[in-house]
Amino acid sequence: MFQQLRTSLKQSVLGQDHVIDHLLIGMLAEGHVLLEDRPGTGKTTLAKALAQSLDAKFSRVQCTADTLPTDLLGMELFNPLTGSFEQRFGPLFANIVLVDEINRTTPRTQSALLEAMAEAQVTIGDTSYTLPQHFFVIATQNPFDGQGTFPLPQAQLDRFLFKLSFTPLDRTAEKALLRGAHLEAMDLHLPLEQLNAWKQEVAAVTIEDTVEDYLLDVCDALRAHRDIEIGPSPRATLALLKAAKARAWMHERNYVTPEDIKSLATPLLAHRLVLTLEATLKMTNERLVKQTLESLTVPTEV
């Protein structure tokens, strides 16, 4: 059934296999995903296709400069018929939430997502409410249009498991798009409860000491790097382990290999780093992570 889900998504959004696989890893690892790309690449289509394939409740928030925290969380409203206040829940109370152009809303509204993404709950007034099961945020932002935007703070970026960009379509994929190949996606409606079984299997994936030490070596090397002011947090280390287990399970293995860690390190760690001012002038976060990986000794495959 999981392979059917992958196939369905890859038919819905052509030429983005790596993004789809990382999105599914994020879902299995109970993380959240930030999609950074120009408009018109299929980000919204992919989020909707995932929700539809899993029979999940889907909601979409279009962020603007005047979007308020209550537009995400909801609020208490007075009902004159009953003479009491009633809770009206916002769009965060869904399984899959698309937060479109997250960097176009103010830091105050962005911060409303912090508790939701970290603890799967929100606080409205004096009361905390648990969000629906399998709560999964897919946020988007356009990196090429900075006018009227509010860059995400480091604390917000650290809540995202992956930061991903779409691959430009090659001529063959774009021709298939013109001919409507993306309209031939499988009509798949898996029960959302199926995620419970998949996540239990992911959690049972094992990791040997040598591979675990390699994971720690990667994070420690970045923390000690002279060009990095702020390295990966302990949350990032744990996230890398969870994602590596999910990738191993997707490749039909019950154990993590160094390749799982190496392939996920860049999209999972790069956006969490803060480089020195001098370093930002000569390299990107992604390039620095790749250079660090190349400098480390990879343990023998298990």
Side-chain angles (χ1 to χ4, degrees), residues 43 47 54-55 67 73 77 87 102 169 176 196-197 200 209 213 239 247 252 254 256 291:
K43 301 185 291 294
L54 286 171
D55 273 346
T67 302
L73 306 178
L77 296 176
Q87 183 62 57
I102 187 174
L169 291 183
N196 291 322
Q200 288 176 4
D209 287 344
D213 287 337
R247 184 182 187 274
E252 300 181 350
N254 61 358
V256 175
Q291 288 180 350

Side-chain angles (χ1 to χ4, degrees), residues 151-259:
L152 297 180
Q154 200 61 30
Q156 186 80 60
L157 288 171
D158 197 40
R159 267 30 177 223
F160 287 103
L161 186 71
F162 292 127
K163 179 182 176 183
L164 306 172
S165 296
F166 279 41
T167 302
L169 291 183
D170 58 30
R171 190 177 182 86
T172 301
E174 196 155 15
K175 181 177 286 189
L177 182 68
L178 291 176
R179 295 179 176 179
H182 63 295
L183 302 176
E184 301 173 3
M186 297 172 59
D187 186 20
L188 189 65
H189 296 278
L190 298 176
L192 184 64
E193 293 74 19
Q194 180 62 46
L195 272 177
N196 291 322
W198 291 345
K199 289 181 178 181
Q200 288 176 4
E201 293 176 8
V202 168
V205 172
T206 61
I207 179 170
E208 290 194 351
D209 287 344
T210 54
V211 183
E212 189 174 60
D213 287 337
Y214 176 64
L215 185 154
L216 294 173
D217 288 343
V218 171
C219 294
D220 286 342
L222 291 171
R223 292 175 185 134
H225 201 289
R226 64 181 183 181
D227 291 326
I228 296 178
E229 286 189 355
I230 301 177
S233 65
R235 179 189 286 120
T237 307
L238 183 60
L240 184 53
L241 173 61
K242 289 182 177 180
K245 287 186 174 184
R247 184 182 187 274
W249 180 83
M250 281 179 56
H251 286 76
E252 300 181 350
R253 282 184 277 104
N254 61 358
Y255 57 90
V256 175
T257 68
E259 180 58 31

